[in-house]
Structure formats: structure tokens, C-alpha cells
Amino acid sequence: MTASNTRERILDALQDILISDGYSSVTLEAVARDASVSKGGLLYHFPSKAAMLTGLIDRLSEMAEEEFREAEEGDEGVVRVFLRTSLPQSVEERELYWAVIAALRTHDELPEEAVAKVQGTFTRWGEMLHEAVADPVLAEVILRAGDGLYMSAIAGMPQPSPEMNQQMIDRLVEMADEANERAGR
């Protein structure tokens, strides 16, 4: 087994514990047990709970980078990709993001660079939207709408139907397209 496989197993175990039991249940021992590695093996890859959480945030940041590339290079466009990816695609994803937010609230356990990486992801979406939408007010409305979709979904609040979500996304994309046309983009 390679070191990268072990590292990924540890992060998978951490993610599973966060989803099933929440942040308060994350201990080095529990993660080592669930990853089927010794505590020494875990400490070789992640010398602390904060290092494990930072590793998970790095993994999530890599996923965000893929979404940024898709938004910039794909056919859907920045607005549609942002709004679509603001909706967690599964209960597991929703629970994971909720647990990561709980971990972020304990700034004392996470290095500032990990917190900055999460904040940077949100900032980058805002920058991309403001570049993609000619009307800065509309760009901000779209940003806040996506943030609201995200937060209400991960908080487990009642959600609109998938059809209504799609209609909201379509309407905001249409408004962005119209603003860009008026601006000659």
C-alpha cells in the first residue's frame, strides 16, 4: 500500500466520521481505527487533528479548483456552474460541508492557512461572478443567492423542489445573459 493510498484512507475515514457523528467525534484514535491504520501510521501522515482537517480542506479545495475550471472552460458558464454547485448533490455532501463549517468555527484548532483556503474559495467565486456578469449588482445578487442555497441546504432547512431550483437557476442565468447583452458582451 502506498503512502498516498494510506493518506487518502485516513481522509476518507475522517470524512466518514464527520458525516456520521459530527466534528466532536473526531479523534486521532477514531480516525486511525476507521482507516485501519495504527495511531503511529496516522501520525506519520497527520501529526494532529488540525493537520487532518487541513488535509480534508485541501481535498475540498482541489474539488473547488475543478469546479472553477469547469465554470471558466465549460459550456455552462460561470453563473450556472456556481449556482448548480451551490446545491449539495447528496446527503453525505451536505453533512460533510456542515461538519467542515463546524470545524472552521473552532479557529483555535485549524491553522490560519486552512481557514484562508476556505475563505479563498468563496472569494474566488465572487470574483469570477463579477467578471462574468456585466451588472455588478446582479453579480452580487447571484453570489448571495448561491450562498443562500448552499447554507439553507447544508443546514437542513426546507428546500424548494428540484424543478423550482432549476427555474431559479435558469432565471438568474437569463438575467445575467441579458445584462451582458445590454453591456455589449
Side-chain angles (χ1 to χ4, degrees), residues 143-154:
L143 175 64
R144 300 305 164 194
D147 289 349
L149 288 169
Y150 173 79
M151 288 306 296
S152 66
I154 67 170

Side-chain angles (χ1 to χ4, degrees), residues 7 56 93 107 137 145 153 170:
R7 181 179 170 81
L56 184 59
E93 183 180 351
H107 280 261
V137 174
D170 291 344

Side-chain angles (χ1 to χ4, degrees), residues 24 34 46 61 64 73 112 116-117 132 141-142 172 180 184:
S24 61
D34 286 11
F46 300 102
S61 293
E73 299 169 8
E112 283 304 310
K117 194 170 274 197
V141 167
I142 292 167
L172 289 170
N180 289 343

Side-chain angles (χ1 to χ4, degrees), residues 15-65:
Q15 186 170 314
D16 290 345
I17 292 169
L18 284 169
I19 291 169
S20 63
D21 303 321
Y23 176 70
S24 61
S25 296
V26 173
T27 63
L28 296 175
E29 294 78 10
V31 174
R33 180 190 64 242
D34 286 11
S36 299
V37 299
S38 67
K39 188 173 177 185
L42 181 140
L43 291 171
Y44 172 79
H45 294 282
F46 300 102
S48 66
K49 183 176 174 179
M52 279 192 307
L53 291 167
T54 299
L56 184 59
I57 288 170
D58 288 342
R59 178 192 270 184
L60 295 173
S61 293
E62 289 169 15
M63 291 169 47
E65 285 297 324

